[in-house]
Amino acid sequence: MWDLTLWWEWLSFAARWLHVITAIAWIGSSFYFIALDLGLNRNIPGPADGEEWQVHGGGFYHIQKYLVAPARMPEHLTWFKWESYATWLSGFALLAILYWAQGELYLVDQSKTDLDLYEGALLSAAVLALGWLVYNSLCQSRLAERPGLLMGLLFLLLVGLGYGLNQVFTGRAMMLHLGAFTATIMSANVFFIIIPNQKIVVADLKAGRSPDPKYGKIAKLRSTHNNYLTLPVIFLMLSNHYPLAFASQYNWLIAALVFLMGVTIRHYFNTLHAKGGPLRWTWGVTVLLFLAIIALSAAGREHEGDDLALTGSALILSQTPGFDAVQQTVSGNCSMCHARAPLYDGIGRAPKGIFLETANDIARNGRAIYLQAGLTTAMPPANLTYMEPEARAEIRRWYRAADLRGLGKL
């Protein structure tokens, strides 16, 4: 009962749940404070840079912002940082669980490269670390005085990274890593720039010194970057649910257009909150970008790799007794939907881009078959094809026999 696959699946669930919860908290606070800052009433006398009255939950809130710092340090100060740290740490754990420990399934595309799994994992980690170093260097250059140009260069960096990763990784891994790269930038902005700069200001206040306004200016630039990057990150983190996005020949270009869509949508709301009138043209641009994405998704698919030789866990699964019976079950219950040209009415593409037509297809997706149709009754949906309990038991016996032959050690 307590096989390794089951433990991995629940560990993935725990990390994913934590990641989603902390991401909601982080992105929610980011949206709130950017909207608050842009909507402040600055036509007031006094030392404050602006103020706002708000109502929520049956109470009224009077908020004031000081551009550099108040005259004296308040007794209680709330720091907004743990949402960011917990989101990144839980996301990194999920990356390691899904894309490093199970790299043969999700990370390296053997039809594109002959990289070993550990080399793919090293490349994955290097993308996150080097990406931050390049981005931070750009922000510390003279480009900091030209934020529009800086964001343009960051976009080109993301496009180039997406294209490069797509030459090695699977489509879903490429999109996930673009999201992880961007989220690393955002969290590192908080950890290395925003919070340290705010602590410098607090230390100056406690020591009776006048804080240097440059620290607040730097922190606000990074906070603005984080705000504009949130929507693309959300899409990329969910992209594995949409094979029309990741399983296309132009998936890297689709990812690039998603970044632009996220920027145009956020720009609309930021101008709306600024009380200067929203820029409605941004919606027209967003629609055009979305139509371009739809066209690209239909223009071609990622290489399906059905002619590749089986290796690793897939090879073990294909050679384990019971495979022929499982193949017959899957072919009769699953392949009408999970096909390169689905036969089931209303399904235009194989769900999640998973094909279950050939013996090689079934061996490569053995773990998913075990979890979805053997260990649980998630598939077929509503058991529309009437998969018998004995057929599900055969799937379980086959997969567990493969596990005993060394599957769980790969």
Side-chain angles (χ1 to χ4, degrees):
M1 177 181 177
W2 299 104
D3 55 74
L4 186 60
T5 300
L6 186 67
W7 280 103
W8 273 115
E9 193 69 12
W10 279 108
L11 183 61
S12 169
F13 168 80
R16 191 186 303 273
W17 196 12
L18 177 61
H19 187 52
V20 170
I21 291 170
T22 54
I24 289 172
W26 183 20
I27 293 173
S29 63
S30 171
F31 281 6
Y32 173 74
F33 277 105
I34 289 292
L36 175 64
D37 185 70
L38 293 172
L40 288 172
N41 177 12
R42 289 181 166 84
N43 298 318
I44 57 171
D49 180 56
E51 69 174 23
E52 180 75 359
W53 283 89
Q54 297 182 355
V55 59
H56 180 74
F60 294 87
Y61 298 82
H62 184 202
I63 304 162
Q64 291 182 315
K65 176 189 175 182
Y66 293 83
L67 191 59
V68 179
R72 66 179 184 85
M73 183 66 195
E75 294 182 2
H76 175 72
L77 189 62
T78 301
W79 295 85
F80 290 86
K81 57 182 180 179
W82 292 110
E83 303 94 330
S84 167
Y85 302 162
T87 299
W88 190 87
L89 289 172
S90 58
F92 182 80
L94 194 58
L95 174 71
I97 292 169
L98 292 179
Y99 288 88
W100 294 2
Q102 302 175 59
E104 185 179 66
L105 296 173
Y106 302 120
L107 182 62
V108 176
D109 189 331
Q110 298 297 334
S111 69
K112 301 174 180 176
T113 180
D114 57 356
L115 280 183
D116 290 330
L117 296 185
Y118 81 90
E119 292 174 319
L122 288 175
L123 176 60
S124 169
V127 165
L128 304 186
L130 295 177
W132 157 251
L133 293 175
V134 171
Y135 162 80
N136 191 50
S137 297
L138 291 174
C139 288
Q140 291 178 339
S141 69
R142 294 181 181 179
L143 289 171
E145 302 299 324
R146 304 179 67 182
L149 180 58
L150 177 58
M151 286 297 287
L153 289 175
L154 176 60
F155 173 70
L156 293 178
L157 174 63
L158 289 164
V159 174
L161 181 61
Y163 179 81
L165 290 179
N166 198 49
Q167 309 309 306
V168 179
F169 289 168
T170 64
R172 69 178 69 200
M174 178 274 294
M175 286 201 163
L176 188 282
H177 278 77
L178 283 183
F181 162 78
T182 308
T184 298
I185 286 176
M186 295 169 63
S187 193
N189 274 339
V190 176
F191 185 79
F192 291 113
I193 305 298
I194 297 173
I195 294 300
N197 283 12
Q198 290 178 338
K199 287 185 175 181
I200 291 173
V201 172
V202 170
D204 285 340
L205 281 173
K206 288 182 176 180
R209 299 186 296 267
S210 296
D212 191 331
K214 74 175 184 180
Y215 295 109
K217 183 179 179 181
I218 293 171
K220 185 174 181 180
L221 174 66
R222 301 299 182 98
S223 181
T224 301
H225 286 179
N226 283 5
N227 178 259
Y228 275 98
L229 293 174
T230 48
L231 295 184
V233 165
I234 292 173
F235 175 87
L236 291 167
M237 291 305 180
L238 297 174
S239 62
N240 65 307
H241 295 285
Y242 301 98
L244 284 174
F246 71 74
S248 164
Q249 286 178 289
Y250 305 105
N251 46 23
W252 62 276
L253 192 51
I254 289 174
L257 296 183
V258 165
F259 269 98
L260 293 180
M261 282 181 61
V263 169
T264 55
I265 293 171
R266 280 311 307 160
H267 197 53
Y268 170 83
F269 284 104
N270 287 345
T271 55
L272 175 66
H273 295 313
K275 298 180 180 179
L279 299 178
R280 292 183 173 84
W281 59 263
T282 55
W283 285 111
V285 173
T286 302
V287 170
L288 291 176
L289 289 170
F290 190 52
L291 291 175
I293 287 173
I294 294 173
L296 287 170
S297 71
R301 297 186 185 183
E302 194 181 44
H303 178 66
E304 293 162 359
D306 53 302
D307 57 338
L308 294 176
L310 295 178
T311 59
S313 61
L315 183 61
I316 292 175
L317 286 165
S318 70
Q319 296 175 347
T320 298
F323 178 73
D324 291 340
V326 170
Q327 182 181 355
Q328 185 175 355
T329 296
V330 172
S331 296
N333 291 270
C334 311
S335 62
M336 67 284 293
C337 295
H338 289 280
R340 288 155 182 83
L343 300 176
Y344 197 89
D345 289 342
I347 295 182
R349 292 285 184 99
K352 292 196 173 183
I354 294 175
F355 304 120
L356 299 175
E357 293 179 286
T358 69
N360 282 7
D361 291 339
I362 293 168
R364 288 195 190 93
N365 293 286
R367 182 176 180 275
I369 293 169
Y370 170 65
L371 289 171
Q372 301 286 332
L375 201 58
T376 72
T377 58
M379 291 289 163
N383 202 20
L384 288 174
T385 57
Y386 305 105
M387 185 181 289
E388 298 291 342
E390 179 54 32
R392 296 184 189 276
E394 286 179 343
I395 293 173
R396 293 194 295 272
R397 286 193 294 269
W398 160 70
Y399 190 87
R400 288 167 179 169
D403 207 15
L404 292 174
R405 299 181 65 203
L407 180 63
K409 299 176 182 178
L410 293 176

